[in-house]
Each structure stands twice: as structure tokens, then as C-alpha cells.
Amino acid sequence: MAQVVFVAVDLGAESGRVLAGKLGDGKFELEELHRFPNGPVRIGEHIYWDVLRLWTEVKNGLALAVQKYGSQVVSVGVDTWGVDYALLDSNDELVGNPYHYRDRRTEGMFEVAFQKVPRDEIYRRTGIQFMRLNTLYQLLATVVQKSPQLRIAKTFLMMPDLFHFWLSGEKVNEFTEATTTQFYDPRKGDWAKSMLRKLGIPTRILNCPIVPAGTVLGELRQHVADEVRATHQIKVVAPASHDTASAVAATPLSDENAVYISSGTWSLVGMEIREPIITDKSLAYNFTNEGGVYGTFRFLRNVTGMWLIAECRRIWAREGNEFTYDQLTQMAAEAQPFKCFVDPDDPRFLAPENMLDAIRSFCRDTNQPEPETVGEFVRCCLEGLALKYRWVIERLEELTGKTVSTIHIVGGGSQNWLLNQFTADATGKLVQAGPVEATATGNALVQAIALGYLGSHAELREVVRNSFPLRTFEPKPDERWQQAYERFCQFVK
């Protein structure tokens, strides 16, 4: 097969990238063409996404792909983080800047929501874990605060759907992203509109079809094609547009009992299942059923991930100490083990002004010594993450009735060899790390299936195994992990 190129636009919470996914003769290769920063923009009391700049960068990256690969470029697809959305008016123009999920307007929205719809009813309808940042509470905040946006809005699109609309002219809600809202009903296969009405959220804005990952939306709009200097037809494909769904799609799971950890700003710890698990116990453990590819669900729990270390690193840089992630990992490896550790999901870590102070506060409140050195802070976070992974995996085994065989860690966090080893040691499970670029790989290869260049999901995963090296970490017995875990379980809310 002659080489073809699928352009994967991968927008993350800290940076965005446009990559060329090159497929030929059963092998796949990724090439980064364009990278650009992303992050919140503060205006007054609120924080937003700079969506127009992101759109410009998407086009810049696509232009680079066309310039380099010409007619080999056959399609483009976008994945982003979950939960955030855009509203369009009757002219299909943006109604305000899309809010950032860490914006504080959702504070107190749990209490407001549960007065109108009981917590267990929301979970029974949606199967989605409760997080203050979920789209449901973002929209509810807009209602409570009497924002004029909802009066003007005609159409609701999640963030990747917005970019696909701007690329193709087609307005859809892609399934994997739609499920992160906490108002999609997986049993009914549609929006939970009656629940939204009870909350006062207008359902008229939910007027776009919900489509599965791998839907061909059409061709690049002519004015966009002109801007990027494409002289041939380029398809726009909605991949698994939630970044974790794309990452899981490309995870080379060893068997149905394997666990994946998509490790980045967040760590998504879960299993791939065929039917959602919505029970009293899954509610009690706050597990979620997010959409996957090809008839699957991602049964998982969100764990605050490398955000902890990224925020520490930002504070150190502000103080004049610039550290690479490799330097931080090495300092953590040399620091005192089991001095202290955090529960990464403690609410104080969601959006603190100073992560170092938040970690100190947690340690004080849990009667642990505070970390003092840079290495101790990083080790405190990494040990806490590994212990939380074990906690989640034990509950996965309980809820699914399966015994986990292997843990597959993918994404940027899979490069942290120390966390990988800690995870093996804390859980007693074999860990396989890689591919690092799972999200962009899944994005591109779902496009390949959509256009007929690959035949199935199984073939996609075989291509991944043949294309990327995987690193194995075997657990090293150490009774101190069990002692630490027993202490840790006392901290978990």
C-alpha cells in the first residue's frame, strides 16, 4: 500500500499539536508538524479558552501537512479534552468565549443540582462520575447566574465538534465526547432531556445528531482548503474526539482483563467493556461509563494526574528554578521513600493558586511530615498516584468481577519510568508502557478505518503493536508499599 497521511489534531489542556499519521505496509508512523501552547485566559473573574487562536493554529498545522505531503493527505480529525463546550447563535456564530473547565462558576452547583434531581437519579440516567467540572454543572451555572448566552444560543457543540464544524460545515455531536457531559443516557442512546428540563437547562440547543467515532463528515470547506492551499479533496473525519477515547482505541490491550491508564494532566484508569456498569456500588465508588469506539464503553475513574507535578514545576519556575521533567524524576528517585504522599483527588488540588502550599496543607491535615526538597515534593506526588491507581484497580476488579492481568500505561505520562515502576510495585501487576503518542495514534488510525485503509479495531491495535516499542516493568516486592497503602486508604474520601 502506498503511504497515506491522516492529519491528527490533538488539543490538550497545556498544548496543541498537529501531527501527520503515516500509514503504509502495515506500519504506522507519527510526525509532529506543529506544536503550540494552550491554556486558560483570565478575563475578570472567569477563565476561558482562546478558541480563535486555536482555530488559527489548527489551520497552520494543516497547511504544513499539505505543503509537505500534498495529495498523500487524505483526511483530518480533531480530538480534545472532555466536558467543555461552545454555543452558536442562529447565524452559527459563537456566543461568547468557551469557558475553561477549571472556571470557578461551577462552585456550589452540586448542591443546586441535587435539590432538583437527586444525585442517584443523575447517575442512573448517565452512568457518569460526579465532577464539578462536568458540562452538566457548567450549563447549570449559566442558568443559575442568568447568563443571556442561553437565550441567544441555538446550537450546542462540544469543543472538538466546533472545530469539525469549522472544518467541514457539518454540525454533529460525536459520541465519545458527548458522553463526558453527564447528560447523555447510554441505555437510551440519546440526551437525557427530561433530566435537563428539571434543571432548567434548555434542550432546544441539543439539535445535532450524535454520531459514532469514525464518522466521515464530508470534505474540507472550500474556503478552508483555499487557506491551507489544498488543491485536492481532504475528508473531515470525526475520530474518537475525546482524547482519552482516542488513546484507549490505540492501547494494545493484552486481553479483556487488562487495565489502561491514559496518563497525562489527568490519569484515566479503567477497562474496556461492552455494556455500561451502572450500579449502587459503581455510584458509591464514583466510576464513570464514557463512550468508546466500535460499540465499547470506557469504564473508568478520573484521577488527577501529572497536573500535580506540572503545577509544582510552574511554581518553581516562577521562583527562578527551571527544571525539566527528567530532572524532577531523577530527584524524586533519590528522595526519601514513603515520607509522605497525597491523595491526588483531594479537592484542594483542583485549581490551587500554589500547588506546593496545597501539598503542604494536605500533609499537615493527614498528620504526615511536609516535603521539603524538590525531590520530596515530586516523590510525594508520584507515590500518591501509584497508591491511588491501586485503589482504583481494586475497585475495578470488584465492580467487573475480573482479575486484572496487566496494566497498560499510555500517553505522555508513560515516559515517567519512576511512576511506571511505582505502579507495578504498588499494585503487584505487570506494567507495559507505550505508546507515548496513543491519543494522536488513535485519532489517525480511526480515520484510517473510516476511509477503508484498515479493516477493524483489532487490525488497528495490531498495527500499533508492530509500530511502537513497549517497555515492561515488573513489580518488585517491598512490604513498605503495603504499609503505605494501608495508610493511604485512611486518606481517601
Side-chain angles (χ1 to χ4, degrees):
M1 179 179 74
Q3 178 177 274
V4 289
V5 174
F6 312 94
V7 177
V9 179
D10 176 27
L11 301 180
E14 294 186 52
S15 66
R17 298 169 311 147
V18 179
L19 304 99
K22 298 177 280 187
L23 180 66
D25 298 324
K27 288 289 184 75
F28 179 77
E29 181 184 354
L30 271 176
E31 177 188 359
E32 184 178 296
L33 299 173
H34 185 46
R35 177 183 285 267
F36 44 92
N38 191 21
V41 176
R42 182 171 294 279
I43 305 174
E45 296 298 315
H46 296 288
I47 54 176
Y48 306 89
W49 295 106
D50 192 352
V51 68
L52 297 182
R53 184 181 63 80
L54 292 178
W55 170 235
T56 299
E57 300 290 8
V58 168
K59 291 185 291 183
N60 289 343
L62 184 54
L64 290 171
V66 170
Q67 179 184 346
K68 185 164 186 177
Y69 291 104
S71 61
Q72 288 179 287
V73 176
V74 295
S75 64
V76 59
V78 181
D79 68 76
T80 79
W81 61 94
V83 308
D84 286 337
Y85 65 92
L87 298 173
L88 302 182
D89 65 15
S90 57
N91 291 329
D92 288 334
E93 295 179 358
L94 275 176
V95 180
N97 287 308
Y99 284 98
H100 190 289
Y101 60 80
R102 295 189 192 274
D103 184 77
R104 297 195 174 208
R105 79 195 197 286
T106 55
E107 290 178 357
M109 288 304 112
F110 277 167
E111 293 77 6
V112 175
F114 300 158
Q115 286 175 4
K116 299 181 179 182
V117 183
R119 184 175 185 270
D120 60 345
E121 182 180 334
I122 294 174
Y123 188 78
R124 284 198 306 272
R125 290 294 303 276
T126 67
I128 295 296
Q129 74 183 107
F130 290 88
M131 301 179 72
R132 196 186 82 195
L133 49 79
N134 287 351
T135 322
L136 181 64
Y137 310 107
Q138 294 196 45
L139 283 174
L140 181 59
T142 306
V143 172
V144 169
Q145 292 151 18
K146 297 182 175 155
S147 167
Q149 289 192 358
L150 286 179
R151 293 200 303 272
I152 300 168
K154 180 184 178 184
T155 303
F156 168 92
L157 294 175
M158 298 296 280
M159 291 301 291
D161 304 322
L162 176 68
F163 292 108
H164 287 136
F165 168 56
W166 285 344
L167 286 165
S168 70
E170 293 296 318
K171 289 179 284 187
V172 302
N173 292 114
E174 189 274 323
F175 169 66
T176 68
E177 185 80 5
T179 59
T180 71
T181 60
Q182 206 177 22
F183 52 82
Y184 176 86
D185 186 331
R187 294 185 175 121
K188 203 169 84 173
D190 199 359
W191 302 115
K193 290 184 178 179
S194 62
M195 183 186 77
L196 290 173
R197 291 188 190 102
K198 291 179 184 178
L199 294 169
I201 296 171
T203 58
R204 59 180 168 74
I205 60 176
L206 302 174
N207 50 38
C208 300
I210 300 170
V211 302
T215 296
V216 180
L217 300 179
E219 295 171 4
L220 207 61
R221 281 180 166 187
Q222 188 57 53
H223 70 84
V224 179
D226 292 343
E227 279 190 78
V228 302
R229 298 186 179 180
T231 57
H232 66 291
Q233 293 181 350
I234 296 175
K235 299 289 187 184
V236 180
V237 178
S241 63
H242 184 218
D243 50 12
T244 307
S246 272
V248 173
T251 301
L253 297 175
S254 49
D255 55 54
E256 65 178 13
N257 294 337
V259 159
Y260 56 79
I261 300 177
S262 180
S263 180
T265 301
W266 294 89
S267 290
L268 296 306
V269 186
M271 301 180 84
E272 193 173 69
I273 60 176
R274 288 288 164 183
E275 297 291 337
I277 297 174
I278 304 175
T279 65
D280 290 343
K281 194 165 277 189
S282 65
L283 166 60
Y285 292 148
N286 207 20
F287 270 71
T288 201
N289 295 268
E290 294 180 353
V293 297
Y294 311 118
T296 64
F297 284 85
R298 294 172 289 120
F299 187 57
L300 61 88
R301 176 154 167 155
N302 281 50
V303 175
T304 300
M306 302 307 284
W307 161 256
L308 297 166
I309 294 171
E311 280 296 285
C312 289
R313 182 171 176 254
R314 182 178 67 82
I315 297 300
W316 288 319
R318 192 174 70 188
E319 295 171 350
N321 298 304
E322 296 273 1
F323 298 113
T324 67
Y325 282 107
D326 286 342
Q327 288 173 322
L328 292 176
T329 301
Q330 189 57 45
M331 285 188 277
E334 296 166 359
Q336 178 183 340
F338 306 111
K339 176 178 178 177
C340 56
F341 36 77
V342 296
D343 174 5
D345 293 326
D346 187 272
R348 76 192 82 197
F349 300 134
L350 180 64
E353 291 186 11
N354 186 311
M355 184 64 78
L356 303 179
D357 289 343
I359 291 170
R360 292 186 186 103
S361 168
F362 180 90
C363 291
R364 284 195 302 272
D365 290 351
T366 52
N367 298 313
Q368 300 182 93
E370 296 178 28
E372 297 173 358
T373 67
V374 170
E376 286 179 353
F377 272 100
V378 177
R379 188 165 189 130
C380 174
C381 296
L382 295 180
E383 288 182 351
L385 275 170
L387 292 166
K388 191 58 177 274
Y389 294 165
R390 174 176 169 178
W391 187 92
V392 173
I393 289 168
E394 287 183 355
R395 273 123 199 99
L396 272 172
E397 291 180 323
E398 180 183 352
L399 292 166
T400 63
K402 297 178 179 181
T403 300
V404 170
S405 55
T406 307
I407 301 169
H408 294 264
I409 303 180
V410 298
S414 70
Q415 298 175 96
N416 191 306
W417 62 268
L418 187 60
L419 179 56
N420 295 340
Q421 188 61 58
F422 283 174
T423 302
D425 296 344
T427 62
K429 311 282 187 186
L430 187 73
V431 168
Q432 280 200 335
V436 173
E437 299 288 2
T439 296
T441 297
N443 178 329
L445 291 181
V446 166
Q447 294 182 53
I449 292 177
L451 298 180
Y453 292 95
L454 293 176
S456 67
H457 193 194
E459 186 178 352
L460 182 161
R461 283 180 165 153
E462 188 60 32
V463 168
V464 172
R465 290 188 193 96
N466 293 337
S467 303
F468 297 100
L470 305 179
R471 189 175 176 190
T472 299
F473 297 82
E474 296 186 0
K476 299 174 182 176
D478 186 339
E479 63 180 16
R480 291 179 298 174
W481 278 107
Q482 179 61 30
Q483 296 165 359
Y485 184 61
E486 291 171 4
R487 287 166 51 205
F488 177 82
C489 287
Q490 298 173 13
F491 306 155
V492 178
K493 300 290 190 295

